[in-house]
Amino acid sequence: MPVVESRIDTVTLYQQGARVTRLLTLDCPEGRAPGELEIPRLPLALFDPTVRVRVLSTGGADLTATNVRVGLWLPPREAPLETVDQAALRTLRQQVRTAESHIRQRQWELNVFGGITVPPRPKPEEGKPPPPSPLGARMALEQFSHDGAQVRLAEVRTLGEQLRKLREEVAVLEQRLAQASTARQVTAGDLYKSVHVQLRHVGAALSRASLSVEYFVPGARWAPSYQCRLTRDCRQVELVMRALIGQHSGEDWSGVKLVLSTAAPLSWTELPELSSIRIGRAQPPPPARAGFRPPPQGAASLFSDFDRDQQVLLRGLPTPSPFLLPALNAPMDLETLEPPVPPEEDALMMSEAADDDAVMERRSAPSMKSYAQRDEVLVEESDAELSASLAPRAAAPRSLMPASAGAPMRRKELSRKADRGGPAQGAGDGPTQAGLEAVVFTHLRLAPASDRGHRNRLQPMDARRFYLETLARFQVEVTFDVMAAVAGAEARAQAMASTPLPGGTTDVRNASSRFDFSYTAEATVDVPSDGVFHSVALGARTGDASVLYVAVPREDSNVYRQAEVQNPLPAPMLAGPAEVYVGGEYVLSTTLPTVAPRGNFKLGLGVEQSIRCARNTRFREQRSGSKIVATTELWHDLTIELANNLDRDITCEVRERIPQPAPDAEVVVEEGAVTPAWEPYTQQERGAKALEGGRRWRLTVPANHTQQLSAQYVVKLYANNELEGGNRREA
């Protein structure tokens, strides 16, 4: 079976998870496509039921991809090292021990020579002259001890160098021996998934074909972010859309085409059904639809011709032995063996018509049934032996078993549970893994006609068995639980969904509401699989903008810039953090709201230092008449001076507010002369509470020009009253 490498071409990133598209080229030098193909180096976290293989181009030949299955794959192992000569290793170790013994002997001799002392000159007897000194003998003894020590020291140095070289040779051989012993061992990091697909080629010869494989991987998220680059006059804006992407799928995305989407591809959504409205008596509600449709009656009779022809073929075969051969390591129990059914009785039973599956199974030949049961037992035993050989230590807990791996479960038991009106349920609260796979249509297979109990029903495919079979073909030593490694990869990918987003970002699920949109990156991107969010540039769009200067001199003397920007994207601009630049200089960071396509949004740019605003007030109080019932008039004159020191005309909005009496107060507020005229202002564009008494001027101030605004209002109240806090309203 040829193994064809593939490369990642496109990644579509959703709210959670991504769909990866790989491309591969199949060369057919003999003009015919191989019957089966393997696509390796796929991540362990991919969701098996989502694998799709498509034939893109064949050059005129008819090529079809069928029977897609997912297995395990290991990269090619290096050539095994040469066998280490154990005799040479033992000889070297013996030489090391001999050298160590010689060194110890030389060190003992050094200690002996070091203990030799030259006797002193003998002392004379009392009253006698001193005896002659044996100077020659003493010097000869000292020379003997010195020469002996020097010779031993030289030998120790030579033996030490020899010992060092011997130990290095021993270490090299031991390392080779360790590498040779571990050359056939694999780790969980070496494990990948692969796609096995069967190819059906008919028609003209085929030289080359292009295929694609798609699969869904969890463990990927994204959040939008932006850069707004305004010109100095704030008339043009360049909106740079970026995305903060984090993924832990198990494979790095290098040089891929990226598409960001707000959709949730694996969510289940049903179209609403409108009930009919009838005029007349109330009718009982229609019965609820069942999740599973019962099989048609009499479906088993469709296989009567197959069973009859099979029996005809079996009659031509030699009659099998009436007793099954016992196992070599187990005693034979003659009481449990049953004699076979005679061929005449078998033919009579097979000739009768079957009404349903139960009757068909009950009327099946006992000899064929015994063969089917024996085959099923052998398959189960082979599965158990294969699982034990690849995962000898411990099986993964049920909570960690991946949904894609399946679970060993008898097909008869699963079908009986499914026939009762729902997916198979385990002993716990949630569905078993096999029950989950039974819901996924791509993981269902139609049993062959020889399987009498399930040949007219879809059965879940045992992906776990295929995993172990594909891994066993590599003939390697596995010292870890394979299924636990697959479950661990899926758990690491699923943990990405709970990873908190970077500060200031907004979840795409909340920003997109109930509408789905996609955003395509203009260039290829790189996103490593490390579970960390990376900033990726998607593209830049240029649009129009206008700047409005807003002043509220009653509260602050500064004049603020406010840019009104049009969304240049053909899709909605989702809420997210933004960095704002004006004239190439960084100004501030803010959070942009969600904006519809071609919609407008306002962007605060801070204080404009080149525009000055000053507000002066003047107050006077007078009596309206000399009558007993007279009113006091409180006159307030406002003067605002707006100076534009820029070299261009500006549009400025000056906001004011006049006091408003309470509904039950005996106070009247009237406007006086206003130059130029103002208009009511309720701040509804901000989405805030309606502002009472709000007024605003909207005017154009020429470059290097000063504009004066004036307004007047009067507060009237009875002469014997006064306002709380003082009659003067303006300070």
Side-chain angles (χ1 to χ4, degrees):
M1 179 175 56
V3 178
V4 181
E5 296 288 344
S6 61
R7 61 176 181 85
I8 301 178
D9 180 71
T10 306
V11 174
T12 303
L13 187 57
Y14 298 100
Q15 293 180 3
Q16 289 185 5
R19 186 179 74 247
V20 181
T21 302
R22 286 176 170 263
L23 300 180
L24 60 134
T25 302
L26 178 62
D27 294 327
C28 304
E30 300 179 357
R32 303 298 299 178
E36 190 171 359
L37 183 69
E38 183 177 9
I39 306 172
R41 297 187 188 276
L42 303 182
L44 290 178
L46 70 85
F47 190 34
D48 293 2
T50 61
V51 177
R52 301 288 186 272
V53 178
R54 292 184 175 90
V55 179
L56 301 180
S57 62
T58 58
D62 188 3
L63 185 65
T64 307
T66 60
N67 194 15
V68 178
R69 295 176 295 173
V70 179
L72 298 179
W73 184 81
L74 289 173
R77 311 296 295 176
E78 297 181 356
L81 301 176
E82 297 181 358
T83 305
V84 179
D85 190 358
Q86 298 289 342
L89 182 59
R90 288 194 297 269
T91 302
L92 286 176
R93 288 175 177 172
Q94 181 62 36
Q95 293 178 4
V96 168
R97 290 192 292 268
T98 302
E100 292 176 348
S101 176
H102 289 173
I103 291 176
R104 288 194 298 269
Q105 177 67 23
R106 298 304 184 274
Q107 290 177 348
W108 178 80
E109 293 177 359
L110 277 174
N111 294 332
V112 171
F113 279 106
I116 297 176
T117 59
V118 179
R121 181 176 182 178
K123 295 182 180 181
E125 295 181 5
E126 186 176 356
K128 293 182 180 181
S133 175
L135 181 59
R138 292 172 60 192
M139 293 183 63
L141 180 59
E142 186 175 358
Q143 185 66 31
F144 170 77
S145 62
H146 179 268
D147 294 343
Q150 292 298 323
V151 172
R152 270 60 176 181
L153 285 175
E155 292 178 354
V156 167
R157 294 191 188 97
T158 304
L159 291 173
E161 183 66 18
Q162 182 181 0
L163 179 62
R164 182 184 64 81
K165 293 180 180 180
L166 290 174
R167 286 177 175 175
E168 289 179 355
E169 294 179 4
V170 170
V172 170
L173 291 182
E174 289 179 348
Q175 184 179 6
R176 290 181 181 178
L177 182 63
Q179 291 178 353
S181 62
T182 59
R184 300 179 61 84
Q185 293 183 359
V186 295
T187 61
D190 300 331
L191 203 60
Y192 293 90
K193 281 187 178 180
S194 64
V195 171
H196 297 249
V197 55
Q198 293 182 358
L199 300 178
R200 184 167 30 187
H201 179 203
V202 296
L206 177 65
S207 60
R208 175 173 292 185
S210 299
L211 291 83
S212 69
V213 55
E214 295 181 0
Y215 52 87
F216 184 85
V217 290
R221 301 180 65 187
W222 73 281
S225 64
Y226 307 93
Q227 284 185 353
C228 292
R229 298 182 178 274
L230 295 163
T231 58
R232 180 64 65 182
D233 58 355
C234 299
R235 299 297 177 87
Q236 294 288 330
V237 61
E238 182 185 18
L239 183 65
V240 180
M241 184 177 180
R242 305 183 67 88
L244 298 174
I245 301 176
Q247 63 105 356
H248 210 316
S249 62
E251 61 179 357
D252 295 336
W253 301 338
S254 300
V256 301
K257 303 174 185 177
L258 182 64
V259 179
L260 300 179
S261 176
T262 61
L266 298 185
S267 62
W268 178 261
T269 303
E270 293 184 354
L271 295 177
E273 296 184 5
L274 301 179
S275 59
S276 60
I277 300 178
R278 300 181 180 180
I279 300 176
R281 290 186 177 182
Q283 300 293 330
R289 290 187 176 184
F292 291 83
R293 185 175 61 184
Q297 297 292 333
S301 61
L302 299 176
F303 298 93
S304 58
D305 295 340
F306 174 83
D307 296 334
R308 182 181 63 254
D309 295 341
Q310 187 180 33
Q311 290 300 319
V312 172
L313 294 176
L314 290 177
R315 290 192 189 98
L317 298 177
T319 304
S321 175
F323 299 100
L324 296 177
L325 294 178
L328 296 179
N329 56 354
M332 180 174 59
D333 189 2
L334 298 178
E335 296 180 359
T336 58
L337 300 178
E338 298 178 0
V341 180
E344 295 78 11
E345 183 180 355
D346 190 8
L348 179 61
M349 296 180 67
M350 293 302 302
S351 62
E352 297 180 359
D355 297 335
D356 54 5
D357 295 342
V359 176
M360 190 66 186
E361 185 175 357
R362 185 169 59 253
R363 294 182 179 180
S364 60
S367 59
M368 296 295 298
K369 190 172 183 180
S370 63
Y371 288 142
Q373 292 177 355
R374 182 181 62 180
D375 294 341
E376 183 177 356
V377 171
L378 293 177
V379 168
E380 292 180 357
E381 291 178 353
S382 63
D383 290 348
E385 294 176 357
L386 186 61
S387 302
S389 62
L390 291 177
R393 283 177 169 78
R398 182 171 295 274
S399 59
L400 294 180
M401 292 293 287
S404 60
M409 187 176 186
R410 288 183 178 271
R411 295 183 296 176
K412 293 183 179 180
E413 181 182 355
L414 179 61
S415 62
R416 287 197 298 269
K417 294 183 178 181
D419 292 341
R420 288 198 291 267
Q425 299 291 331
D429 298 335
T432 61
Q433 304 297 336
L436 290 176
E437 287 193 351
V439 183
V440 182
F441 182 78
T442 57
H443 248 203
L444 300 179
R445 294 292 184 269
L446 188 63
S450 58
D451 188 357
R452 300 193 176 191
H454 309 91
R455 57 189 176 186
N456 60 342
R457 295 187 180 93
L458 288 173
Q459 299 297 323
M461 182 179 62
D462 191 1
R464 179 175 181 271
R465 176 184 176 183
F466 190 69
Y467 279 174
L468 302 178
E469 288 178 354
T470 54
L471 190 60
R473 61 196 169 105
F474 291 98
Q475 297 180 357
V476 293
E477 182 180 353
V478 179
T479 59
F480 60 93
D481 192 348
V482 175
M483 307 313 299
V486 177
E490 293 185 351
R492 287 190 297 270
Q494 294 290 350
M496 191 66 196
S498 59
T499 302
L501 294 172
T505 57
T506 306
D507 196 344
V508 178
R509 292 174 294 183
N510 302 329
S512 61
S513 183
R514 295 182 180 272
F515 299 93
D516 298 330
F517 304 93
S518 62
Y519 307 86
T520 304
E522 296 180 352
T524 58
V525 301
D526 298 337
V527 182
S529 176
D530 53 4
V532 180
F533 285 91
H534 301 269
S535 182
V536 176
L538 302 179
R541 295 291 187 274
T542 303
D544 298 329
S546 61
V547 63
L548 176 66
Y549 297 91
V550 179
V552 187
R554 183 187 183 93
E555 303 294 337
D556 191 358
S557 60
N558 292 320
V559 179
Y560 294 87
R561 293 177 296 179
Q562 188 179 72
E564 186 172 357
V565 182
Q566 183 182 18
N567 178 17
L569 302 176
M573 189 179 68
L574 304 179
E579 300 174 356
V580 182
Y581 297 84
V582 177
E585 297 180 357
Y586 172 77
V587 177
L588 52 88
S589 296
T590 184
T591 301
L592 299 183
T594 300
V595 184
R598 303 301 177 185
N600 297 331
F601 65 94
K602 293 182 179 180
L603 190 63
L605 302 179
V607 177
E608 177 56 63
Q609 302 293 342
S610 299
I611 302 177
R612 300 295 179 181
C613 183
R615 182 177 184 270
N616 298 312
T617 62
R618 190 169 60 252
F619 170 76
R620 72 178 186 275
E621 182 177 349
Q622 65 184 21
R623 190 180 180 90
S624 62
S626 59
K627 298 180 180 180
I628 298 177
V629 181
T631 59
T632 299
E633 296 179 353
L634 310 177
W635 289 90
H636 298 79
D637 296 322
L638 308 178
T639 302
I640 299 175
E641 184 175 343
L642 191 63
N644 177 19
N645 298 323
L646 297 174
D647 55 356
R648 62 180 183 274
D649 299 346
I650 65 169
T651 300
C652 187
E653 183 177 298
V654 182
R655 298 172 183 175
E656 266 294 338
R657 186 180 184 184
I658 61 176
Q660 296 294 309
D664 55 348
E666 297 178 349
V667 179
V668 178
V669 178
E670 297 178 355
E671 295 183 14
V674 179
T675 305
W678 60 16
E679 61 182 5
Y681 175 67
T682 59
Q683 70 178 6
Q684 291 183 356
E685 76 280 359
R686 300 176 54 190
K689 183 180 179 181
L691 179 66
E692 296 182 2
R695 303 291 187 271
R696 70 177 175 183
W697 286 282
R698 194 180 184 94
L699 66 159
T700 301
V701 182
N704 299 317
H705 191 270
T706 301
Q707 182 77 29
Q708 288 190 355
L709 312 174
S710 62
Q712 186 183 64
Y713 67 90
V714 59
V715 180
K716 297 181 180 181
L717 67 159
Y718 289 112
N720 57 347
N721 294 336
E722 65 178 9
L723 297 177
E724 183 178 355
N727 290 341
R728 185 168 183 172
R729 296 291 92 190
E730 300 295 334

